[in-house]
């Protein structure tokens, strides 16, 4: 019963994790980061709302533009400070120090608020304090978001962060709900002026929790300062070398304008909302400030609930259904509509301006932090990777802060103009303030309409860049607006242009939406060139749909090349409910091109009556026995389209021996298409020949899961060549089903050496990162770390061998040999083994890099590997720096020291946490290496026996007998040579069993030894 409860709870846990799109090993880090972000955000929102209450009550909304202007300089200044801290402190210290520094002024602000009557240069300390509080709130939001983003990027790799960061970032939305509803209670308990203390306590608590998190996962952070001066110069040169010109420039300008307008509209709505809130304040003094803060708290809580619901349940689904650009237009269009309605309702005295602004700000806040955040990454998608980060920095780090400051200046100008133009009696004239707000709302409406126009401009340029990116093979397929892409493909295919560009568009569309590709291609089939018609029909045949039957039928009635006509006939046959078989019979005539004739015959054999099938069979029989190669090739290909081979099966044995390679390759595809199990061995044999390898591989892949047992048997047969076994693993990777990935991952855990390397490369090459995700789903991050640790321990054994065997120089006790000669021979043999071990070290390091590619971006790992492999100290240092800032496994230090330029002894000591090194004599170390024979390469194993023979070292009987059965011939040769010296009597008993060895060299060696030992016995 207890076990049932445990398994039940585990099932519930897995179900919850699947619903959150999390893996179990990510839960702790995600929850801790969520708590850090939520706690600090709650404190900052409390501080912000109380500061707004104090500011509006004491100084009025007309002073807010100065806040906007001052905040424009906060972002760039804090960015400089943050960058400077990273230069002098390790990153894991920087993030904690920044969060702790955020909390310190919050405790000091409470002191300044109490000095209302004390002035400096005519300005009260309270005013200065509240002004600085608001600026500090803005600064803290920037720092908190930056801190959270950087910390998350360190704690989670590129694949984990796609799942975890949406949950972490939702901490701000949750904080809005919690802080909003709790603020009225907090004000009642501690008072408005003491909220800063509680806010500081919350931020400080967040910093303590972040300190625990960075200590627990300290391997995720680099140990040294992040940047050096040399690297800054290099990066600066690289950045300045990137130019945005041509179509990219036309796209970047409206893209920057999009985010600038979003910020300008947001600031204007925010300012007018607070202005109206000031005039709705029913009382003055502390009670008025508390009323404002309480109102904002309830407002923030309600708005937060809607934001959380929208972000979790609506944002991504809305983008998928209506497209990126329609979604992007919702916010500006909605603001424009609400603004117009507010103006009309206010002038008609139906609704007050304040109510209209509440709705306007609610709508802006709701969609600004949900839909706009969801759409933003997609808008940057067409920009090449090498300049994308630069443009994002320009938008977020320069454009938005500057636009905030410029908007502040614009607000001051508008306030001055309206004060001069609009009639009013005094500063508290309600009608004047309402009219002033309507002027601002009118400006907001105009800017929102301009924003909609900018979205339209982005869409038009987005289409062009999608096409260019597709042509250059640069566009990813994870975050693309599918509707925009389809429009781009149609526009590109219909207008004049190069066939290569159009072919690239079709290929990209096929990759992204293969099931609905006919929706785009069918209406334009007739206007495409014949080559693209063929490509389009081949693509549509992967998912035939009756909806496009008439378009293909109309195409088939035109004069077409044979290849295109054959594809059209096949599509019509597959999608038509009642196909007219008699319409295919004219195509059976001998004067029809073999491509069309073979296709027609195969289609008739599927559904024709007995007489029709006999006629089609006779046509194919004539093609299969024709003297011309093209006739036999097309006839053979047609067999693959027939449901039943019937009497034509008799021709398969002869076709397998056909003199034409094209016929034999076509027949392999037939065997796969018709699932002729009796000929499956021919497919496996085809993998062993260079001429038929590719065709056999494609045929086996078409069998999908049916081929898995055959491939597993072939891949695990140690007596097959490495090349053939590689083809079997490759076929499993190309099949790519869940079952195939299961086989690959299970063998990844148990295999070693070349086999493990091959499997890793195959999994990494699988499309859409299916292999990477398959490995992470099955063994997870912890499993990959275990594999890396295995490689490190093996490298430790290699270093131990290199260190202990370095003492091998000369040997004695050689019978009938000169000692110096023997010493020279032994030394040469020892060097061979040392070189073999060095090769094993390089292979193990290569496997470490391959394993890291499952956890971290491929380009980053590849850059580190390239720099480290160069051997130049400066480049090696850069490679280690890349790894230090990327890798976050538990044994990170051991891994980095492994790639550094140290001696084997130093590296061995750095691996002490994984293996304890005990010096051994050379002979004992050799025997230890042979105990690890399953991990050694064939050549290293042979070198071990050669060295034992030259040095006259004794090996165990088990080691010798097991290696005598090794599948590689030269290993068996080395064992026999060792036995000849070490135990001639045992060798004499074993030789008769080895006379029929499959390796010719080994069998010749056995015969020679039998003759020599037999002659010696007679004498």
């Amino acid at each position: 019963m207890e076990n049932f409860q445990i398994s039940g709870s585990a099932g519930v846990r897995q179900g919850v994790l699947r619903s959150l799109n999390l893996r179990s090993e990510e839960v702790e880090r995600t929850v801790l980061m969520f708590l850090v972000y939520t706690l600090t955000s709650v404190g900052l929102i409390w501080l912000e709302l109380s500061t707004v209450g104090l500011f509006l009550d004491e100084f009025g909304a007309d002073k807010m533009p100065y806040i906007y202007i001052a905040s424009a300089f906060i972002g760039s200044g804090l960015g400089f400070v943050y960058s400077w801290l990273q230069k002098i402190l390790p990153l894991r210290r920087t993030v904690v120090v920044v969060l702790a520094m955020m909390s310190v002024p919050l405790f000091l602000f409470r002191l300044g608020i109490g000095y209302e009557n004390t002035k400096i240069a005519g300005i009260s300390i309270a005013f200065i304090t509240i002004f600085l509080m608001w600026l500090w709130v803005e600064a803290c939001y920037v720092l908190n978001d930056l801190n959270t983003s950087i910390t998350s990027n360190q704690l989670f790799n590129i694949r984990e962060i796609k799942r975890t960061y949406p949950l972490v970032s939702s901490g701000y939305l949750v904080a809005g709900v919690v802080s909003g509803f709790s603020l009225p209670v907090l004000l009642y308990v501690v008072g408005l002026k003491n909220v800063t203390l509680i806010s500081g306590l919350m931020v400080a608590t967040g910093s303590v929790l972040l300190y625990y998190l960075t200590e627990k996962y300290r391997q995720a952070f680099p140990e040294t300062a992040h940047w050096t001066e040399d690297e800054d110069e290099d990066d600066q040169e690289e950045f300045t070398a990137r130019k945005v010109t041509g179509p990219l420039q036309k796209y970047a300008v409206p893209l920057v304008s999009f985010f600038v307008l979003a910020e300008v509209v947001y600031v204007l709505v925010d300012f007018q909302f607070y202005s109206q809130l000031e005039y709705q304040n029913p009382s003055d003094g502390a009670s008025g400030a508390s009323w404002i803060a309480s109102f904002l708290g309830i407002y923030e809580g309600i708005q937060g609930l809607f934001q959380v619901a929208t972000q979790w349940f609506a944002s991504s689904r809305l983008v998928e259904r209506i497209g990126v650009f329609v979604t992007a237009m919702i916010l500006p269009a909605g603001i424009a509509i609400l603004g117009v309605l507010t103006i009309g309702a206010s002038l008609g005295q139906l609704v007050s301006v304040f109510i209209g602004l509440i709705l306007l700000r609610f709508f802006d806040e709701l969609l600004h932090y949900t839909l706009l955040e969801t759409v933003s990454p997609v808008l940057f998608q067409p920009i090449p990777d090498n300049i994308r980060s630069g443009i994002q920095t320009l938008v977020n780090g320069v454009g938005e802060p500057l636009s905030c400051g410029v908007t502040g200046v614009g607000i001051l100008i508008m306030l001055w103009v309206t004060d001069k133009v609009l009639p009013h009696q005094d500063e508290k004239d309600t009608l004047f303030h309402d009219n002033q707000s309507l002027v601002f709302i009118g400006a907001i409406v105009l800017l929102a309409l301009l924003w909609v126009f900018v979205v339209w401009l982005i869409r038009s340029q987005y289409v062009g860049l999608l096409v260019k990116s597709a042509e250059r093979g640069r566009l990813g397929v994870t975050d693309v607006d599918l509707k925009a892409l389809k429009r781009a493909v149609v526009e590109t295919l219909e207008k004049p242009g190069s066939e290569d560009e159009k072919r690239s568009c079709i290929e990209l569309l096929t990759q992204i939406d293969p099931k609905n590709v006919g929706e785009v291609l069918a209406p334009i089939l007739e206007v495409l060139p014949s080559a693209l018609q063929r490509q389009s029909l081949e693509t549509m045949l992967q998912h035939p749909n009756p909806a496009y039957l008439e378009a293909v039928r109309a195409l088939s009635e035109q004069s077409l090349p044979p290849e295109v006509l054959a594809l059209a006939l096949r599509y019509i046959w597959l999608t038509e409910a009642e196909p007219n078989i008699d319409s295919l019979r004219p195509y059976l005539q001998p004067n029809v091109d073999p491509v069309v004739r073979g296709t027609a015959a195969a289609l008739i054999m599927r559904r024709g009556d007995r007489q029709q099938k006999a006629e089609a069979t006779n046509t194919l029989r004539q093609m299969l026995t024709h003297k011309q190669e093209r006739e036999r090739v097309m006839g053979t290909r047609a067999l693959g389209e027939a449901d039943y081979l019937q009497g034509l099966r008799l021709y398969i044995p002869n076709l397998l021996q056909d003199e034409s390679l094209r016929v034999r390759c076509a027949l392999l595809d037939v065997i796969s298409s018709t699932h002729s199990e009796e000929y499956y061995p021919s497919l496996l044999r085809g993998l062993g020949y260079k001429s038929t390898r590719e065709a056999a591989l494609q045929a086996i892949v078409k069998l999908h899961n049916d081929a898995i047992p055959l491939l597993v048997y072939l891949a695990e047969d140690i007596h097959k060549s490495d090349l053939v076994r590689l083809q079997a693993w490759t076929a499993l990777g190309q099949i790519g089903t869940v079952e195939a990935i299961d086989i690959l991952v299970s063998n990844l855990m148990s295999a070693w050496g070349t086999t493990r390397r091959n499997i890793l490369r195959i999994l990494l090459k699988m499309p859409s990162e299916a292999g990477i995700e398959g490995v992470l789903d099955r063994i997870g991050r912890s499993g990959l770390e275990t594999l890396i640790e295995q490689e490190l321990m093996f490298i430790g054994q290699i270093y131990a061998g290199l260190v202990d065997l370095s003492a091998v120089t000369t040997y004695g006790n050689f019978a009938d040999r000169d000692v110096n000669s023997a010493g020279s021979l032994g030394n040469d043999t020892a060097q061979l083994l040392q070189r073999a071990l060095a090769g094993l070290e390089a292979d193990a390091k290569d496997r470490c890099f391959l394993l890291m590619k499952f956890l971290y971006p491929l380009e980053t790992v590849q850059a580190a590997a390239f720099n480290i492999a160069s051997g130049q100290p400066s480049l090696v240092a850069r490679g280690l720096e890349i790894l230090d800032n990327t890798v976050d496994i538990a044994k990170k230090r051991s891994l980095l020291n492994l790639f550094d330029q140290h001696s084997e002894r130093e590296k061995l000591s750095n691996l002490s946490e994984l293996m304890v090194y005990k010096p051994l004599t050379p002979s004992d170390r050799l025997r230890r290496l042979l105990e690890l024979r399953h991990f050694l390469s064939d050549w290293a194993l042979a070198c071990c026996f050669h060295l034992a023979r030259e040095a006259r070292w004794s090996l165990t009987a088990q080691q010798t007998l097991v290696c005598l059965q090794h599948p590689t011939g030269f290993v068996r040769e080395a064992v026999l040579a060792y036995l000849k010296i070490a135990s001639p009597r045992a060798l004499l008993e074993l030789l008769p069993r080895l006379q029929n060895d499959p390796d010719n060299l080994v069998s010749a060696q056995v015969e020679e030894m039998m003759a020599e030992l037999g002659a010696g016995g007679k004498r």
Side-chain angles (χ1 to χ4, degrees):
M1 183 67 180
E2 183 179 355
N3 293 336
F4 176 78
Q5 291 176 347
I6 293 174
S7 62
S9 62
V12 172
R13 172 184 168 85
Q14 290 300 320
V16 172
L17 291 180
R18 279 195 297 269
S19 66
L20 294 174
N21 195 24
L22 282 180
R23 296 192 174 102
S24 57
E25 56 205 3
E26 301 163 355
V27 172
E28 184 179 25
R29 287 172 289 160
T30 304
V31 170
L32 288 173
M33 274 304 302
F34 175 82
L35 289 177
V36 170
Y37 194 37
T38 303
L39 285 173
T40 53
S41 297
V42 166
L44 293 177
I45 293 173
W46 279 343
L47 179 65
E48 179 191 21
L49 299 182
S50 59
T51 302
V52 170
L54 288 168
F55 190 94
L56 294 181
D57 185 71
E58 294 287 339
F59 313 112
D62 57 334
K63 302 296 190 300
M64 285 180 61
Y66 297 105
I67 295 288
Y68 299 139
I69 295 171
S71 65
F73 301 97
I74 294 295
S76 57
L78 290 177
F80 173 78
V81 172
Y82 206 106
S83 177
W84 173 75
L85 281 175
Q86 290 186 63
K87 292 180 181 179
I88 63 173
L89 291 174
L91 187 57
R92 65 188 178 90
R93 298 296 184 209
T94 300
V95 294
V96 176
V97 168
V98 166
L99 206 56
M101 287 171 55
M102 286 167 52
S103 64
V104 173
L106 305 187
F107 297 102
L108 301 178
F109 287 145
R110 177 62 186 90
L111 301 176
I113 296 175
Y115 292 94
E116 293 92 345
N117 299 323
T118 306
K119 297 184 178 181
I120 298 176
I123 304 175
S124 69
I125 294 178
F127 174 80
I128 297 173
T129 302
I130 295 173
F131 187 85
L132 292 176
M133 281 173 62
W134 199 328
L135 284 182
W136 190 245
V137 168
E138 297 295 328
C140 286
Y141 276 132
V142 174
L143 287 175
N144 195 32
D145 291 342
L146 186 61
N147 224 37
T148 302
S149 176
I150 289 176
T151 307
S152 298
N153 280 321
Q154 292 295 137
L155 287 172
F156 306 103
N157 61 49
I158 191 67
R159 296 176 183 88
E160 293 172 336
I161 206 165
K162 293 177 182 178
R163 293 185 299 272
T164 59
Y165 195 70
L167 295 174
V168 172
S169 61
S170 66
Y172 176 78
L173 302 180
V174 174
V177 178
V178 174
S179 59
F181 288 123
S182 62
L183 183 59
V185 178
L186 188 66
L187 292 173
Y188 177 78
V189 174
V190 302
L192 179 63
K193 294 183 178 180
N194 293 321
V195 171
T196 59
L197 299 176
I198 307 301
S199 298
L201 184 62
M202 292 294 288
V203 177
T205 303
S207 66
V208 172
L209 188 58
L210 183 60
Y211 174 79
Y212 166 77
L213 181 60
T214 55
E215 284 298 313
K216 183 175 179 61
Y217 295 96
R218 63 185 303 166
Q219 72 273 8
F221 298 87
E223 292 291 337
T224 57
H226 191 63
W227 302 108
T228 64
E229 293 182 2
D230 292 340
E231 288 173 332
D232 281 337
E233 292 175 2
D234 293 341
D235 292 341
Q236 184 67 26
E237 289 176 4
E238 183 183 355
F239 181 79
T240 55
R242 298 169 182 167
K243 301 295 182 182
V244 181
T245 57
L248 281 177
Q249 188 177 34
K250 293 180 181 178
Y251 183 77
V253 171
L255 181 64
V256 174
S257 302
F258 175 88
F259 291 98
V260 167
L261 284 170
E263 186 68 17
V264 170
V265 170
Y266 179 83
V267 171
L268 286 174
V269 172
D270 193 61
F271 169 72
Q272 276 306 302
F273 172 77
Y274 286 134
S275 296
Q276 283 294 319
L277 185 61
E278 176 194 355
Y279 297 119
Q280 300 298 322
N281 187 1
S283 56
D284 296 327
S287 60
S290 296
W291 180 86
I292 292 175
S294 299
F295 174 84
L296 289 175
I298 300 299
Y299 174 88
E300 188 75 27
I302 296 173
Q303 179 179 265
L305 287 174
F306 280 89
Q307 285 178 324
V308 171
T310 303
Q311 182 69 5
W312 286 0
F313 305 110
S315 294
S316 58
R317 293 176 175 86
L318 193 62
V319 172
E320 290 177 0
R321 290 199 173 188
I322 66 176
V324 171
F325 295 103
V326 176
T327 306
M329 287 182 182
I330 291 177
L331 179 55
I335 288 175
I337 293 171
L338 281 175
V340 171
L341 291 177
T342 299
I343 294 173
S346 299
L347 293 176
Q349 297 183 345
L350 299 175
V351 177
S352 68
V353 177
F354 180 57
I355 298 299
L357 279 168
I358 288 178
L359 295 176
L360 196 61
R361 187 175 189 269
F362 185 88
F363 184 78
D364 190 17
E365 287 268 344
L366 175 64
L367 300 189
H368 192 94
Y369 291 105
T370 54
L371 289 187
L372 196 62
E373 293 295 327
T374 304
V375 166
S376 297
V378 185
L379 297 180
F380 288 100
Q381 180 70 20
I383 300 175
D385 295 339
N386 62 328
I387 60 172
R388 185 182 302 161
S389 60
I391 293 180
Q392 285 180 303
T393 302
L394 178 67
V395 169
N396 300 323
V398 179
E400 291 181 352
L402 284 181
S403 61
C404 182
V406 172
T407 306
V409 174
I411 291 174
L412 288 176
I413 296 174
M414 290 182 67
L415 289 174
W416 181 81
V417 171
T418 53
D419 183 67
K420 299 296 183 183
V421 174
L422 296 177
H424 61 284
Q425 299 176 355
D426 53 36
E427 292 183 357
K428 295 188 177 181
D429 188 340
T430 304
L431 181 61
F432 165 73
H433 289 295
D434 285 347
N435 291 334
Q436 189 181 59
S437 293
L438 292 178
V439 172
F440 274 91
I441 293 174
I444 291 170
V445 170
L446 293 177
L447 288 170
L449 293 174
L450 178 61
W451 190 1
V452 172
F453 176 70
V454 167
V455 175
W456 180 84
L457 284 179
I458 292 176
R459 194 206 74 83
S460 62
Q461 298 300 325
Y462 182 92
V463 166
L465 278 181
L466 281 174
V467 175
K468 294 294 183 183
S469 298
E471 182 183 357
R472 297 168 188 172
R474 188 175 59 211
L475 184 63
V477 297
T478 55
D479 294 314
V480 172
D481 183 2
L482 191 56
K483 293 185 177 181
L485 178 61
K486 288 183 177 180
R487 287 193 295 269
V489 171
V490 172
E491 293 175 10
T492 305
L493 294 177
E494 288 181 343
K495 67 183 182 182
S498 66
E499 284 195 16
D500 290 338
E501 183 178 356
K502 297 180 179 181
R503 185 177 295 106
S504 299
C505 288
I506 297 175
E507 290 173 355
L508 181 63
L509 185 61
T510 304
Q511 184 181 0
I512 294 176
D513 192 21
K515 293 184 179 180
N516 301 312
V517 70
E519 179 184 347
V520 175
L521 298 178
I524 58 176
L525 275 175
E526 296 186 21
V527 299
L528 292 176
S530 58
L532 296 181
Q533 288 175 338
R534 179 177 179 179
Q535 181 189 9
S536 300
L537 288 171
E538 288 174 345
T539 301
M540 293 169 63
L541 277 168
Q542 296 176 6
H543 300 278
N545 190 332
Y548 317 123
L549 173 61
E550 294 306 319
V552 179
R553 190 192 304 277
L555 177 68
S556 68
E557 294 172 356
Q558 298 179 358
S559 176
L560 299 173
E563 293 80 4
V564 178
L565 178 59
L567 291 169
L569 292 176
R570 188 179 300 124
Y571 192 92
I572 294 171
W573 180 267
L574 291 175
T575 54
E576 196 170 24
E578 297 293 334
N580 183 6
I581 297 177
D582 289 335
S583 64
L584 294 176
R585 296 181 69 181
Y587 295 113
L588 298 180
Q589 300 301 319
N591 59 338
V592 176
D593 189 276
V595 177
V596 179
R597 194 182 342 137
T599 300
L603 295 177
I604 291 174
M605 288 183 65
R606 289 192 174 193
R607 294 192 190 177
D609 55 29
R610 180 173 305 211
Q611 181 179 356
Q612 292 166 338
K613 286 184 178 180
E615 187 177 353
T617 301
N618 185 56
T619 299
L620 288 179
R621 182 181 292 112
Q622 293 175 359
M623 296 178 68
L624 294 175
T625 56
H626 203 280
K627 293 182 179 180
Q628 292 184 8
E629 180 193 39
R630 190 166 185 269
E631 290 276 349
R632 298 200 306 277
V633 169
M634 296 306 166
T636 304
R637 289 180 180 175
L639 293 179
E641 301 172 17
D643 281 343
Y644 303 100
L645 297 181
Q646 300 175 352
L648 297 174
R649 190 180 298 270
L650 299 174
Y651 294 92
I652 292 182
N654 291 332
L655 292 173
L656 284 171
Q657 305 297 324
D658 195 280
E659 61 182 10
S660 170
L661 175 61
R662 294 176 61 200
V663 172
R664 298 199 303 273
C665 290
L667 188 61
L668 294 177
D669 184 70
V670 172
I671 293 171
S672 173
S673 300
T674 58
H675 292 268
S676 302
E677 296 183 8
E678 65 271 28
Y679 295 109
Y680 283 176
S682 298
L683 298 180
L684 299 182
R685 285 194 297 271
L687 292 175
Y689 301 99
K690 183 178 180 180
S691 58
T692 57
R693 184 170 297 135
E694 186 62 30
L697 182 63
Q698 293 177 4
I700 290 174
V701 170
K702 285 178 63 176
L703 292 174
H704 297 291
N705 286 348
D706 291 345
I708 290 179
L710 299 171
L711 294 172
V712 171
Y713 173 78
L714 185 63
E716 294 180 349
D717 188 353
I718 60 175
H719 296 284
K720 297 294 183 182
S721 69
D722 288 342
L723 181 58
V724 172
R725 296 175 67 191
L726 172 61
Q727 297 304 314
W729 294 124
T730 302
L732 284 169
Q734 292 186 10
I735 289 172
T737 60
V738 174
E739 293 79 5
I741 296 177
D742 285 338
I743 295 295
L744 288 170
V745 176
S746 62
N747 278 274
L748 174 65
M749 299 296 292
S750 58
W752 193 261
T754 302
T755 301
R756 173 177 284 187
R757 182 194 62 197
N758 291 338
I759 295 175
L760 287 172
R761 289 178 175 172
I762 289 166
L763 288 167
L764 287 170
K765 289 180 180 178
M766 292 180 69
S768 303
E769 296 189 347
I772 294 174
E773 292 300 325
V775 171
L776 292 173
D777 288 336
R778 288 160 179 80
I779 65 175
R781 178 191 181 91
S782 58
L784 286 166
E785 288 194 30
T786 300
L787 293 179
I788 293 176
E789 290 175 11
Q790 287 178 2
E791 299 290 349
L792 295 179
M793 287 188 286
F794 176 62
I795 292 174
Q797 294 292 340
I798 293 173
Y799 288 150
L802 290 171
V803 170
D804 290 342
L805 292 174
S806 63
V808 177
T809 54
T810 58
Y811 314 99
N813 302 323
F814 280 81
D816 303 327
R817 291 191 186 183
D818 180 75
V819 174
N820 293 331
S821 174
S824 177
L825 289 170
N827 195 29
D828 291 343
T829 309
Q831 290 178 2
L832 283 177
L833 178 57
Q834 289 171 353
R835 285 198 292 268
L837 292 177
L840 290 177
E841 176 199 4
D843 291 343
K845 287 180 178 179
D846 183 43
R847 292 194 294 271
C848 285
F849 280 116
L850 290 173
L851 288 166
M852 283 188 279
K853 289 180 180 180
F854 286 85
L855 297 173
Y856 313 108
L858 274 68
E859 298 81 4
T860 304
V861 177
Q862 194 63 37
F866 176 79
N867 282 279
I868 291 172
S870 68
Q872 299 180 23
S874 59
L875 294 180
V876 171
R878 174 166 297 200
L880 292 174
E881 178 73 11
I882 293 172
L883 289 183
D884 190 20
N885 288 279
T886 303
V887 175
D888 58 353
I889 63 175
K891 299 298 184 291
K892 173 181 175 178
R893 288 296 108 199
S894 298
L895 183 67
L896 293 182
N897 289 324
L898 179 70
F899 295 118
D900 209 345
Q901 293 181 317
H902 298 307
S903 66
E904 284 82 4
R905 287 187 181 274
E906 290 174 319
K907 292 181 180 179
L908 196 54
S909 64
N910 291 327
L911 291 171
S912 57
E913 60 177 335
L914 288 169
M915 62 161 285
V916 179
Y917 167 66
K918 294 181 179 179
L920 299 175
T921 63
S923 57
D924 288 339
R925 179 56 63 187
L926 186 71
R927 283 187 282 273
R928 173 60 180 155
L929 286 175
L930 286 175
E931 291 176 6
L932 302 172
R933 56 186 172 274
H934 298 293
F935 304 99
L936 301 182
S937 66
D938 297 346
W939 176 239
L941 195 58
C943 288
C944 287
F945 281 95
H946 285 306
L947 180 57
R949 174 175 59 86
E950 294 292 344
R952 302 296 181 96
W953 292 337
S954 62
L955 304 176
T956 66
Q958 181 186 10
Q959 293 171 345
T960 306
L961 292 175
V962 169
C963 292
L964 194 58
Q965 300 172 5
H966 198 278
T968 304
F970 59 77
V971 175
R972 300 196 298 273
E973 283 186 82
V975 177
L976 288 173
Y978 165 76
L979 282 175
K980 182 179 178 182
I981 298 298
S983 182
R985 182 176 300 178
L987 178 62
L988 192 58
E989 295 178 3
L990 293 170
L991 286 176
R993 306 177 190 176
L994 302 172
Q995 282 183 297
N996 297 322
D997 193 280
D999 190 297
N1000 294 331
L1001 293 177
V1002 177
S1003 60
Q1005 183 186 23
V1006 169
E1007 291 180 5
E1008 182 181 350
M1009 286 184 172
M1010 289 183 67
E1012 184 178 345
L1013 292 176
K1018 289 180 181 178
R1019 287 195 298 269

